[in-house]
Amino acid sequence: MTVDVEDYFHVSAFSRQVTLDDWGKRFPLRVEASTHKTLALFDKHRVKATFFILGWVAEQCPDLVKAIAAQGHEIACHGYAHQRATEQDRQTFMQDVARCKHFLEDITGTKVAGYRAPSFSFDERNEWAFDVIKELGFSYSSSTYPVKHDLYGVPHWPRFKHMRPEGITEIPIPTTYISGRSIPIGGGGYFRLYPYALSRQLIRRFLRTEQQPYSFYFHPWELDPEQPRMSNAPLKSKFRHYLNLGKMESRLERLLTDFNWSTMQHAYQLNSD
């Protein structure tokens, strides 16, 4: 079980409507309340998860990071400013990720082993990013999604946990094949789009046929249906972002009940050293 800890105004789909200067100002901060709701759900169902935390959130809400760690969840890095790695040069990317890693380690006093790129933005254009995160001391990444998508995706890349040539373990977001097509089943907007019964069926099918661990991701803002609306965003972006927000909490409750969950470190038997 993984959580990408960012707020509603951080998402890549709204990057043209929101600037860094707007964060927490023109658009009020809501990530603390929604993340505490997430923590309460996990506590209720005795679930431990991996939280990929945005550095900007850690800087603004250090007590929130401490609360996540105090409940026994794994702390991992989501970069600092939620900029796609494909839109950064090597030096900018390194500075962004290092800034986040240092914040998280200073707050928790523990080493951060895992990294996830915003919008799963590792592909053929920036494979050098794996070298960077290896140099920064990470041992694993979950930054690729082997699907065809207009914002991300490397459909021909490996679908399961594998060791990269750079010495980084990469754990792609889960997919399944139906009629020869790669179908995304890892969570996020697809989980809100599909009826819950279909999601459950696809996860069970994955576990049965692939004999691999399954990982799920979502964002705290998906548990915040009262969040401010981006009225000037494109219709497609608004549809993806706001679809079924009011149903997310009940679906997540069912998901936490129907399957057994743990951290990335535990589920994939990762060595953080």
Side-chain angles (χ1 to χ4, degrees), residues 119 145-155 184 190 217 236 240:
S119 301
Y145 209 155
V147 294
K148 187 175 182 180
H149 190 279
D150 58 341
L151 296 178
Y152 53 75
V154 276
Y190 294 104
Y217 82 94
K236 181 191 285 189
R240 287 173 170 170

Side-chain angles (χ1 to χ4, degrees), residues 36 39 61-73 75 107-108:
H36 278 294
L39 289 172
C61 312
D63 287 343
L64 180 62
V65 179
K66 292 176 183 177
I68 296 169
Q71 291 195 19
H73 300 291
I75 303 296
I107 292 168
T108 64

Side-chain angles (χ1 to χ4, degrees), residues 55 61 88 101 124 212 227 232 249:
C61 312
Q88 297 174 301
K101 190 174 193 286
E124 297 96 336
Q212 295 280 338
Q227 65 190 258
N232 58 340
E249 184 172 353

Side-chain angles (χ1 to χ4, degrees), residues 234-249:
L235 284 176
K236 181 191 285 189
S237 296
K238 289 192 288 187
F239 174 78
R240 287 173 170 170
H241 188 89
Y242 299 121
L243 178 68
N244 289 332
L245 288 183
K247 298 180 180 180
M248 182 64 181
E249 184 172 353

Side-chain angles (χ1 to χ4, degrees), residues 8 27 224-232 238 242 245:
Y8 64 98
F27 299 99
D224 181 18
E226 304 304 318
Q227 65 190 258
R229 280 351 192 215
M230 301 287 179
S231 58
N232 58 340
K238 289 192 288 187
Y242 299 121
L245 288 183

Side-chain angles (χ1 to χ4, degrees), residues 8 17 33 42 44 53 66 68 76 95 98 100 115 137 159 182 213 224 231 253 263 265 269:
Y8 64 98
Q17 286 71 47
F42 287 170
K44 175 182 177 181
I53 303 173
K66 292 176 183 177
I68 296 169
Q95 291 172 347
C100 178
Y115 172 79
R159 295 175 55 222
S182 181
D224 181 18
S231 58
E253 288 257 23
T263 66
Q265 292 267 9
Q269 301 180 342

Side-chain angles (χ1 to χ4, degrees), residues 79-107:
Y80 180 82
H82 207 269
Q83 185 176 5
R84 293 175 194 165
T86 46
E87 297 177 354
Q88 297 174 301
D89 60 31
R90 186 181 184 119
Q91 187 62 30
T92 304
F93 175 75
M94 175 176 279
Q95 291 172 347
D96 177 275
V97 177
R99 186 178 182 184
C100 178
K101 190 174 193 286
H102 293 154
F103 269 127
L104 296 173
E105 291 179 340
D106 286 347
I107 292 168

